[in-house]
């Protein structure tokens, strides 16, 4: 194909080519799409890196195979303020209300765990 044929149909040459006469609004949309694609690429790269680290260092925790108690203990170590807030809320709510809510929440948690495995 000659260079004259290529320049006569820039949109037809590739589906991702950008028209030369984009309005400012279209240009903003194109830039937002490009930023989103960069964010998605970065997220995929970070996920791949964390999976590679988890495979390389299985003793660091955070795996799916850990028991719920081990994961809760790890969460308590990493987020002591959140655990203190939940404990204070449990004290304020009282035992009767806690048992009632546990009857609602525990079946949901167990169903989610079954789906995740």
């Amino acid at each position: 194909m000659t260079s004259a044929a290529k320049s006569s149909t820039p949109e037809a040459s590739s589906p991702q080519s950008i028209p030369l006469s984009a309005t400012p609004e279209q240009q903003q949309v194109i830039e937002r799409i490009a930023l989103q694609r960069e964010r998605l690429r970065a997220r995929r790269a970070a996920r791949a890196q964390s999976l590679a680290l988890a495979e390389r260092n299985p003793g660091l925790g955070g795996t799916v195979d850990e028991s719920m108690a081990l994961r809760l203990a790890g969460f308590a170590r990493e987020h002591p303020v959140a655990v203190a807030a939940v404990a204070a809320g449990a004290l304020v709510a009282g035992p009767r209300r806690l048992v009632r809510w546990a009857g609602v929440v525990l079946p949901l948690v167990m169903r989610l765990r079954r789906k995740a495995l």
Side-chain angles (χ1 to χ4, degrees):
M1 200 178 334
T2 65
S3 62
K6 285 183 183 177
S7 64
S8 65
T9 58
E11 288 93 20
S13 64
S14 78
Q16 293 185 359
S17 63
I18 300 171
L20 298 176
S21 60
T23 65
E25 293 84 15
Q26 290 172 333
Q27 191 61 37
Q28 286 178 342
V29 170
I30 291 169
E31 289 171 4
R32 279 199 327 251
I33 290 171
L35 284 174
Q36 177 140 16
R37 286 180 179 163
E38 288 177 31
R39 280 195 305 268
L40 290 173
R41 276 189 214 105
R43 182 186 293 173
R44 276 194 297 269
R47 178 160 169 75
Q49 183 181 14
S50 73
L51 288 174
L53 279 174
E55 287 176 5
R56 216 176 304 147
N57 302 322
L60 291 179
T63 63
V64 177
D65 296 335
E66 287 183 352
S67 70
M68 181 70 99
L70 284 175
R71 287 198 284 174
L72 286 174
F75 182 84
R77 258 185 270 116
E78 292 177 9
H79 308 285
V81 175
V83 173
V86 169
L91 287 174
V92 169
R96 197 175 294 166
R97 196 172 280 163
L98 285 179
V99 169
R100 186 171 47 214
W101 276 101
V104 172
V105 172
L106 281 178
L108 295 174
V109 169
M110 298 309 280
R111 189 177 315 150
L112 287 174
R113 278 184 49 88
R114 247 185 283 136
K115 285 183 182 180
L117 297 177

